[in-house]
């Protein structure tokens, strides 16, 4: 009897290990809507087995200290197939996929954990930030190494993996109060070309190429981005620093910049917010000390 029991436990364990996390995106801003037309964070599960596997009663979580945060009421992953999980906060199951009671935050970064109905972790990962509408997944369904995808493929084969993003530029002087004439040196760990802007817009391949330190003589938003000559290497994340010259404040300061900032300013009134654009925001103390910053996509959220 002891031999038979051990064999049974081994068989169940192997079955559970057939379900893996195959692809995910916590930067789904304008692509791949769910059945409700919403652009939610999503995770794709894949079944390595040719037989369907019922994951009803299993658990999902974004917290390692609370593996049982969300329990799946019903769900089956087809043999050698996929099942979509939308981290929407709806806490429901639909034919189009499972909706968890939590959302994902890639900037902390959070985890995504899948555990069986006994609370045993089947697969898990720590989110690595992606740029807008990008994903990360295995280079072949259920196997291969994890890679970056600039064209996500939820519910389909993972194709055309990319290299990691170019190195994010580093600015030699921290954001905040500086003296007129301060020179800012830009460096990239990977030695890539750096392009920058001084008007708050997102640097592109046609923006000014960095060659010598940037001298700041008046309050300025300096934004920089690295571009690699290596094929299949996407541009870096954007580094944004606001420098204040000859100004003083008695209240905390917000510096807001982006590709369509004039529209943003014009829309700060009771009328509809019409702009949707990339940008950055920095929060400073009244004395000009950086408190926090973020980069993302400005869009409308009614009644906020």
């Amino acid at each position: 009897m002891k031999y038979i029991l051990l064999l049974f436990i081994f068989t169940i364990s192997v079955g559970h290990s057939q379900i893996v996390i195959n692809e995910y995106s916590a930067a789904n801003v304008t692509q791949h809507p769910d059945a409700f037309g919403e652009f939610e964070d999503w995770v794709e599960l894949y079944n390595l087995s040719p037989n369907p596997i019922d994951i009803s009663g299993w658990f999902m979580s974004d917290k390692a200290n609370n593996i049982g945060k969300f329990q799946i009421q019903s769900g089956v992953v087809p043999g050698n197939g996929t099942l979509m999980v939308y981290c929407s906060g709806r806490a429901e199951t639909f034919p189009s996929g499972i909706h968890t009671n939590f959302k994902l935050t890639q900037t902390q970064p959070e985890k995504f954990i899948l555990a069986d109905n006994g609370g045993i972790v089947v697969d898990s990962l720590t989110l690595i930030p992606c740029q807008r509408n990008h994903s990360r997944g295995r280079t072949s369904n259920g196997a291969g190494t994890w890679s970056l995808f600039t064209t996500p493929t939820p519910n389909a084969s993972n194709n055309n993996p990319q290299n990691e993003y170019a190195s994010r530029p580093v600015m030699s002087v921290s954001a905040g109060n500086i003296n007129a004439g301060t020179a800012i040196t830009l460096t990239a760990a990977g030695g890539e070309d750096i392009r920058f802007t001084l008007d708050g817009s997102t640097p592109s391949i046609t923006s000014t190429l960095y060659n010598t330190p940037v001298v700041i003589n008046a309050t300025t938003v300096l934004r920089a981005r690295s571009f690699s000559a290596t094929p299949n290497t996407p541009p870096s994340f954007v580094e944004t620093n606001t420098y204040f010259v000859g100004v003083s404040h008695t209240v905390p300061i917000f510096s807001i910049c982006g590709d369509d900032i004039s529209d943003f300013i014009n829309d700060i009134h009771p009328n509809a917010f019409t702009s949707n654009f990339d940008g950055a925001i920095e929060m400073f103390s009244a004395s000009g000390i950086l408190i926090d910053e973020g980069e993302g996509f400005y869009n409308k959220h009614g009644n906020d």
Side-chain angles (χ1 to χ4, degrees):
M1 291 296 295
K2 183 181 295 185
Y3 174 78
I4 294 174
L5 177 62
L6 289 175
L7 179 61
F8 173 75
I9 293 174
F10 176 76
T11 303
I12 292 297
S13 175
V14 171
H16 285 187
S17 67
Q18 301 304 302
I19 304 297
V20 298
I21 300 167
N22 197 48
E23 188 180 4
Y24 70 89
S25 177
N28 182 34
V29 179
T30 61
Q31 297 179 351
H32 306 298
D34 63 12
F36 301 92
E38 301 294 336
F39 299 99
E40 304 289 2
D41 307 327
W42 55 265
V43 177
E44 178 192 71
L45 303 181
Y46 184 79
N47 182 1
L48 293 166
S49 165
N51 303 312
I53 295 180
D54 188 347
I55 59 171
S56 302
W58 288 27
F59 298 94
M60 295 177 181
S61 180
D62 58 348
K63 298 289 188 293
N65 60 356
N66 184 15
I67 293 175
K69 188 171 184 178
F70 172 74
Q71 187 168 32
I72 302 167
Q73 296 305 306
S74 64
V76 175
V77 188
N80 297 131
T82 60
L83 178 65
M84 291 300 297
V85 177
Y86 297 97
C87 299
S88 64
R90 291 180 181 271
E92 296 180 81
T93 300
F94 302 92
S96 59
I98 296 168
H99 287 250
T100 67
N101 62 352
F102 58 86
K103 298 189 176 186
L104 299 177
T105 303
Q106 65 173 12
T107 53
Q108 288 188 358
E110 290 184 328
K111 293 180 176 294
F112 182 84
I113 302 168
L114 176 67
D116 65 18
N117 52 12
I120 304 301
V121 174
V122 173
D123 201 3
S124 67
L125 55 80
T126 299
L127 303 180
I128 300 176
C130 291
Q131 294 181 23
R132 182 161 63 100
N133 291 328
H134 294 176
S135 71
R136 294 183 185 273
R138 301 176 188 268
T139 51
S140 60
N141 278 345
T145 58
W146 281 89
S147 186
L148 172 68
F149 293 88
T150 54
T151 303
T153 54
N155 261 343
S157 298
N158 297 343
N159 298 314
N160 196 26
Q162 303 290 296
N163 297 323
E164 189 54 47
Y165 298 113
S167 305
R168 188 170 188 158
V170 175
M171 300 184 185
S172 61
V173 178
S174 300
N177 293 332
I178 62 171
N179 297 321
T182 299
I184 313 297
T185 300
L186 307 180
T187 56
E192 303 95 337
D193 286 343
I194 300 174
R195 294 185 179 269
F196 68 92
T197 62
L198 297 171
D199 61 358
S201 62
T202 303
S204 69
I205 192 64
T206 60
S207 299
T208 304
L209 178 65
Y210 174 81
N211 287 309
T212 59
V214 181
V215 178
I216 305 296
N217 289 307
T219 297
T220 301
V221 177
L222 174 60
R223 307 190 77 194
R225 195 177 196 184
S226 299
F227 294 82
S228 175
T230 303
N232 298 321
T233 302
S236 72
F237 285 88
V238 178
E239 180 65 15
T240 302
N241 274 9
T242 299
Y243 296 107
F244 302 105
V245 177
V247 297
S248 61
H249 297 275
T250 59
V251 295
I253 310 157
F254 282 92
S255 175
I256 298 171
C257 67
D259 295 333
D260 199 8
I261 195 63
S262 61
D263 244 5
F264 177 83
I265 294 172
N266 292 335
D267 283 332
I268 303 180
H269 52 57
N271 294 336
F273 187 97
T274 58
S275 301
N276 292 279
F277 60 92
D278 285 310
I281 183 169
E282 298 165 280
M283 181 180 181
F284 298 85
S285 68
S287 60
I289 304 299
L290 181 65
I291 298 173
D292 203 358
E293 62 182 338
E295 179 186 346
F297 190 67
Y298 287 94
N299 60 13
K300 178 182 178 181
H301 288 274
N303 298 323
D304 283 359

